Amino acid sequence: LLRQRLELRGQDQPDVIEKRLAVAAEEIAHYPEFDYLVVNDCLEEATLNIQAIVRAHRLRRPNQTQQHAKLLAQWLGEL
């Protein structure tokens, strides 16, 4: 799919396309090192997925606990 997209764009020489594919393969080989996997085959969907990841990260308990410490203390009767 990537090869086809690069070839159809007609912007790169075949040797450049081969180098880009080799770099992409090397980068993709590292996917197990990450918590999330977003495939960018549809820009709109990939954008929504990345936004969801950012939103989920911001809502993680440690982040929310720090941001809402005073409110949590009130709810728990600590103030």
Side-chain angles (χ1 to χ4, degrees), residues 1-12 17:
L1 185 62
L2 179 56
R3 177 187 298 279
Q4 184 180 24
R5 286 193 343 212
L6 292 172
E7 289 172 349
L8 289 175
R9 284 191 342 186
Q11 295 178 346
D12 297 314
I17 290 174

Side-chain angles (χ1 to χ4, degrees), residues 3 5 7 17 19 22 24 29 31 34 38 44 48-49 53 63 66 68:
R3 177 187 298 279
R5 286 193 343 212
E7 289 172 349
I17 290 174
K19 288 178 187 174
Y31 85 91
F34 299 93
V38 176
E44 184 176 321
L48 291 172
N49 288 336
I53 291 168
N63 297 335
Q66 183 178 10
H68 299 292

Side-chain angles (χ1 to χ4, degrees), residues 2-76:
L2 179 56
R3 177 187 298 279
Q4 184 180 24
R5 286 193 343 212
L6 292 172
E7 289 172 349
L8 289 175
R9 284 191 342 186
Q11 295 178 346
D12 297 314
Q13 296 297 318
D15 62 318
V16 172
I17 290 174
E18 291 305 319
K19 288 178 187 174
R20 290 188 66 181
L21 292 172
V23 169
E26 174 63 29
E27 291 174 351
I28 292 168
H30 291 277
Y31 85 91
E33 300 170 23
F34 299 93
D35 293 327
Y36 301 97
L37 177 65
V38 176
V39 176
N40 187 12
D41 57 351
C42 172
L43 180 60
E44 184 176 321
E45 185 176 341
T47 300
L48 291 172
N49 288 336
I50 292 170
Q51 289 172 341
I53 291 168
V54 170
R55 187 173 302 110
H57 180 75
R58 289 179 180 165
L59 292 172
R60 288 179 55 89
R61 184 185 39 78
N63 297 335
Q64 291 295 88
T65 299
Q66 183 178 10
Q67 182 176 349
H68 299 292
K70 197 173 203 176
L71 181 60
L72 288 167
Q74 289 174 335
W75 283 345
L76 296 172

